[in-house]
Amino acid sequence: MKNISILNILCLIISIGILFSVDSIVSWAFQNHFEKNILPFSPHAQFEMYFSDSRISFDKNVMYRIWSVILTMFLLLIYLDIKLISINSSNTPDRKKQLRIFMLRVFAYAIIFVAFPMNLLVFDKGSSGELLSFSDKIILSSFVLVMLNALALIPYLAQRNIALFFKLKDVLIYNVGMVVCMLVLLYLGVSQYMAPAIAGLLSGFGFLKKMLDAWDHINEFFDIKDKRIHEMF
């Protein structure tokens, strides 16, 4: 079990739990928005006048699809962990097979990091025109921030039990710096979409060289520099 990512197992369990709770989560999101951002301005407003059954059903279907994809990707990641165990058991592990695992992990994590912010389609009700609270902005910005953090997190997670290309210290410095910068920008009034983008750009300046060095290490380890796809695998 030590060769199988506990994080992937936990995320798989969470994904299953969310899939079974989609109806409750979406209903809560709409009701919470109605009570916090509509009723204070229109005390006599009726929920049905703002949100039809068809719109709520649409958002539920969106969330079902999003988390079905995420669940599938975590199943794939756990399968790849198991497959890598047999590859690494050899005295001279096959670099091409390890590269396949690495690239499949990159693909799976990329899908997850793209799919997760798609929940904004359900949780972002800001288009109705009411002012969002600071906590609402943090929640919405966090979804966007997840995609930006993928720049550092995807290759770091994909390298597990293969080789150390990316150091945890560098990834944490990049991500913590981005979060702090985003919170400052949100406090100063920058929008929930621009704040994480600017924070990612500012934090990326110091991290870019480390990323390039790490990818050079990957090229050397798998011996894929200047090779075509069919030669790599």
Side-chain angles (χ1 to χ4, degrees):
M1 284 296 294
K2 69 179 182 179
N3 294 314
I4 300 175
S5 172
I6 299 300
L7 177 62
N8 288 338
I9 294 174
L10 288 175
C11 288
L12 176 68
I13 294 171
I14 291 170
S15 299
I16 294 171
I18 290 176
L19 268 177
F20 279 104
S21 308
V22 164
D23 286 359
S24 299
I25 293 171
V26 174
S27 297
W28 171 85
F30 276 96
Q31 189 64 40
N32 182 65
H33 174 75
F34 178 73
E35 292 175 0
K36 288 176 59 179
N37 300 307
I38 295 178
L39 280 182
F41 299 95
S42 305
H44 302 294
Q46 295 183 356
F47 182 86
E48 295 76 12
M49 293 178 61
Y50 284 84
F51 305 115
S52 64
D53 289 340
S54 60
R55 180 178 176 183
I56 296 174
S57 296
F58 175 83
D59 277 13
K60 287 180 180 178
N61 289 332
V62 168
M63 271 201 77
Y64 273 121
R65 289 185 176 91
I66 291 170
W67 286 95
S68 293
V69 170
I70 292 174
L71 173 65
T72 302
M73 290 301 103
F74 279 118
L75 283 172
L76 173 61
L77 288 168
I78 293 171
Y79 166 75
L80 293 174
D81 281 346
I82 296 171
K83 192 170 183 179
L84 186 61
I85 294 172
S86 61
I87 296 172
N88 288 344
S89 63
S90 170
N91 292 328
T92 55
D94 191 321
R95 289 284 188 264
K96 289 187 177 181
K97 289 182 178 179
Q98 287 182 329
L99 177 60
R100 288 194 198 101
I101 299 291
F102 179 78
M103 296 307 295
L104 283 170
R105 282 175 170 175
V106 168
F107 170 78
Y109 281 119
I111 294 294
I112 292 169
F113 277 88
V114 169
F116 182 72
M118 295 297 290
N119 286 281
L120 280 171
L121 294 172
V122 176
F123 291 99
D124 185 6
K125 303 294 185 292
S127 58
S128 59
E130 292 83 7
L131 293 175
L132 296 178
S133 68
F134 185 69
S135 60
D136 288 333
K137 284 189 174 185
I138 290 178
I139 293 171
L140 298 177
S141 297
S142 296
F143 282 108
V144 181
L145 197 66
V146 165
M147 292 188 70
L148 296 173
N149 282 345
L151 176 68
L153 286 175
I154 287 178
Y156 172 77
L157 294 170
Q159 73 183 358
R160 185 176 180 276
N161 289 338
I162 297 176
L164 185 63
F165 307 122
F166 300 85
K167 296 179 180 178
L168 178 60
K169 179 189 72 173
D170 296 332
V171 174
L172 287 177
I173 290 173
Y174 172 71
N175 285 283
V176 171
M178 191 187 300
V179 170
V180 171
C181 186
M182 183 195 76
L183 291 174
V184 172
L185 290 169
L186 286 174
Y187 182 76
L188 294 175
V190 179
S191 78
Q192 64 267 25
Y193 302 110
M194 287 301 297
I198 296 172
L201 182 63
L202 294 176
S203 300
F205 284 126
F207 189 69
L208 182 60
K209 186 179 186 305
K210 294 182 183 294
M211 283 286 292
L212 294 175
D213 290 342
W215 282 107
D216 286 339
H217 185 192
I218 290 172
N219 286 335
E220 293 174 7
F221 182 85
F222 292 119
D223 190 24
I224 58 175
K225 189 175 179 63
D226 299 325
K227 287 186 177 180
R228 297 182 180 181
I229 295 293
H230 70 277
E231 294 174 324
M232 294 180 186
F233 299 100

